Amino acid sequence: MGAQDCIFCKIVDGSIPSTTVHEDDVCIAFNDLTPQAPTHILLIPKEHVDSLAKTEANHKQTLGHLLLSSAQIARDKGFADDGYRVVINTNGDGGQTVFHLHVHLLAGRQFIFPPG
Ligand code: AMP
Ligand code: ZN
C-alpha cells in the first residue's frame, strides 16, 4: 500500500498514467513530465518512502537497485559514454517537491556544477 494522495504511488498503481521506460519488482522508471534535459527519467521505488532523508539500513537494497538501474538504463539508451547526471533532491533546501523518493536521470546536454 502506498501513501494516500502520493502522485508517484498513483503512477506505481497505474491510476495516474506515465511513460514507463523500465519496470521491475522493486522500481519503475518513467519520463519526467517537465523535462530539464533531452533525456529526463525518474526512477522511483514501488514502495513509498518520503525522501532520502527517511531511508534507513533496511532500504540499502532499494537504494542500490535505483542506482544500478539508472546505470543500466543509461547503457541501454546509449548515453552512458557521453555522460549523464543522477540527482536526488532532498527536502526543502534540496528542492524536493514530490515526497516519494526519486532519482532524476538526466542526459543529452552538458550539465554545470555546482548546480543552482
Ligand atoms: P523533485 O522536484 O525532485 O521533487 O522532482 C519532482 C519531479 O516530478 C519534477 O521534475 C516534476 O516535473 C516531476 N513530476 C511531477 N508530476 C509528474 C507526473 N505526473 N509524471 C511525471 N513526472 C512528474
Ligand atoms: Zn508514494
Side-chain angles (χ1 to χ4, degrees):
M1 279 296 279
Q4 223 180 355
D5 297 330
C6 170
I7 57 169
F8 286 178
C9 282
K10 288 179 178 167
I11 285 177
V12 171
D13 73 22
S15 57
I16 290 180
S18 74
T19 52
T20 306
V21 300
H22 169 86
E23 182 171 5
D24 59 43
D25 53 337
V26 175
C27 76
I28 181 168
F30 52 90
N31 290 314
D32 196 293
L33 204 57
T34 313
Q36 302 300 317
T39 297
H40 187 171
I41 294 167
L42 299 175
L43 292 92
I44 69 173
K46 288 186 165 176
E47 174 200 358
H48 180 91
V49 184
D50 284 352
S51 78
L52 188 63
K54 291 281 177 68
T55 56
E56 296 180 1
N58 61 309
H59 296 111
K60 189 182 281 188
Q61 206 161 359
T62 299
L63 289 169
H65 188 94
L66 289 169
L67 287 181
L68 287 170
S69 299
S70 301
Q72 187 63 51
I73 290 168
R75 287 190 291 267
D76 290 348
K77 291 197 168 289
F79 57 77
D81 288 346
D82 283 344
Y84 53 92
R85 181 161 292 180
V86 164
V87 175
I88 304 178
N89 295 328
T90 303
N91 284 345
D93 281 0
Q96 185 175 4
T97 60
V98 177
F99 284 81
H100 179 130
L101 173 65
H102 52 280
V103 172
H104 294 261
L105 174 59
L106 299 138
R109 66 172 171 85
Q110 182 70 55
F111 299 101
I112 57 165
F113 196 85

